[in-house]
Amino acid sequence: MTGAEIGIAALFALGGLRSLWRWTRRRFEGTDVVDHLLYALFVTGRVGLWFAFAGLFVIYAATSLDGRPTSELDRFRWYLIVPIALAAVQFAAGYFLGNRSPGDEA
């Protein structure tokens, strides 16, 4: 473990906490439940990305690369899906929330 990876992970985690604090303080005046659900998905994707990147640096700091062709990082290859999925959720929720009109209520 090196201090650089832990320091960068801590900065990303602090960024996630700041983002969580900022987005939960923002007032959202949706007209129906779907608006609130889309907004919650948007905030989850946005805040979750910060914590996902912090997790990437923690994983990198916790694994050792001893010059072996297959390293310990291969076990965590699946984790790359987490930031991609969170970014997709944030993008889709923002897109659908932005394209809803007041007449969309069922």
Side-chain angles (χ1 to χ4, degrees), residues 28 30-41 97 100 105-106:
F28 179 73
T31 56
D32 64 346
V33 176
V34 176
D35 287 341
H36 286 280
L37 177 65
L38 288 171
Y39 183 73
L41 286 172
L97 188 61
R100 285 181 56 87
E105 299 158 357

Side-chain angles (χ1 to χ4, degrees), residues 60 63-68 70-74:
Y60 186 71
T63 57
S64 66
L65 300 174
D66 297 332
R68 294 174 293 185
T70 56
S71 66
E72 293 179 23
L73 287 175
D74 288 340

Side-chain angles (χ1 to χ4, degrees), residues 66-102:
D66 297 332
R68 294 174 293 185
T70 56
S71 66
E72 293 179 23
L73 287 175
D74 288 340
R75 291 186 296 157
F76 297 104
R77 196 177 323 163
W78 62 268
Y79 190 79
L80 291 175
I81 296 172
V82 173
I84 293 169
L86 286 169
V89 165
Q90 178 188 352
F91 177 76
Y95 176 79
F96 289 122
L97 188 61
N99 287 331
R100 285 181 56 87
S101 64

Side-chain angles (χ1 to χ4, degrees), residues 1-2 4 8-9 12 15-17 19-20 29-30 36 38 52 55 59 61 67 74 79 81 83-84 88 93:
M1 267 201 218
T2 63
I8 293 170
F12 275 119
L17 290 173
S19 181
L20 179 66
E29 298 184 15
H36 286 280
L38 288 171
I59 288 172
D74 288 340
Y79 190 79
I81 296 172
I84 293 169

